[in-house]
Amino acid sequence: KATVSVLYCDTDHMPTVNEILTYDGEVTDIVINYVMLFVVLVVPAVYALGGGSKRLCWWWVGVFIFLWVYQIVLCLFEGCTGISIVWNSVYGHNVYDALKKAFKPNIKVLLYAEGVAVLAVNVYYAVTADAITTVAHICALLLGILLSAIYWRFCSPPTVKHE
């Protein structure tokens, strides 16, 4: 490879799903990104286990499946590897849910901690990876916000309090 990045693009090589999900063997990227995936899933998990809205929980399941399919298809067509689209989008979704007051204050503390981790990793990759990686991360955060906005606009009953 000419460069190592989270969203490594190589239009001359069509990656396999295994290469996509394992960063083509780049151990540092594997560890960083799967830890981040775990980190951003803490808020939805705590919300769901704490008796949160079943409708929002099922929405999250659908969004999570969509994000994995989107990440894999994107990488198959663009010749890239990685899962950072998934975890950045999940965090964007969490942020918008918090803005819509879906979470109790104790969960918001977890969201702030997640935010520090997301920022740190995105800054790390902004410094060490190709510019396309940073663009992809920003777009993924916005995608997560958009998906959450769709839920709150079209799927959340106005009479249901999610707190």
Side-chain angles (χ1 to χ4, degrees):
K1 292 180 184 173
T3 61
V4 175
S5 72
V6 174
L7 192 64
Y8 174 75
C9 295
D10 180 0
T11 55
D12 295 333
H13 170 70
M14 175 78 70
T16 65
V17 172
N18 183 57
E19 290 170 333
I20 293 167
L21 299 179
T22 63
Y23 288 85
D24 199 16
E26 295 291 335
V27 176
T28 302
D29 291 328
I30 293 168
V31 171
I32 290 170
N33 286 276
Y34 280 93
V35 166
M36 286 308 301
L37 180 62
F38 173 79
V39 166
V40 299
L41 288 175
V42 167
V43 164
V46 169
Y47 177 82
L49 294 172
S53 163
K54 285 186 175 42
R55 183 183 294 234
L56 182 56
C57 293
W58 280 112
W59 174 264
W60 270 336
V61 169
V63 164
F64 195 61
I65 292 167
F66 165 78
L67 292 172
W68 280 104
V69 170
Y70 176 70
Q71 175 80 67
I72 291 167
V73 170
L74 173 72
C75 286
L76 287 172
F77 281 102
E78 292 299 320
C80 60
T81 62
I83 65 161
S84 58
I85 301 297
V86 175
W87 62 259
N88 271 292
S89 294
V90 170
Y91 184 71
H93 198 293
N94 291 349
V95 167
Y96 194 85
D97 287 346
L99 292 173
K100 296 303 280 186
K101 302 192 184 327
F103 305 133
K104 294 178 183 173
N106 62 330
I107 295 179
K108 287 183 182 178
V109 171
L110 294 172
L111 186 67
Y112 296 135
E114 286 180 359
V116 170
V118 167
L119 180 62
V121 171
N122 282 329
V123 167
Y124 166 77
Y125 281 119
V127 171
T128 63
D130 297 337
I132 188 67
T133 302
T134 301
V135 172
H137 288 175
I138 292 168
C139 289
L141 287 163
L142 295 173
L143 174 62
I145 291 168
L146 175 66
L147 291 169
S148 181
I150 290 169
Y151 168 80
W152 288 99
R153 174 66 177 98
F154 298 107
C155 302
S156 177
T159 58
V160 174
K161 267 202 123 79
H162 290 277
E163 291 190 55

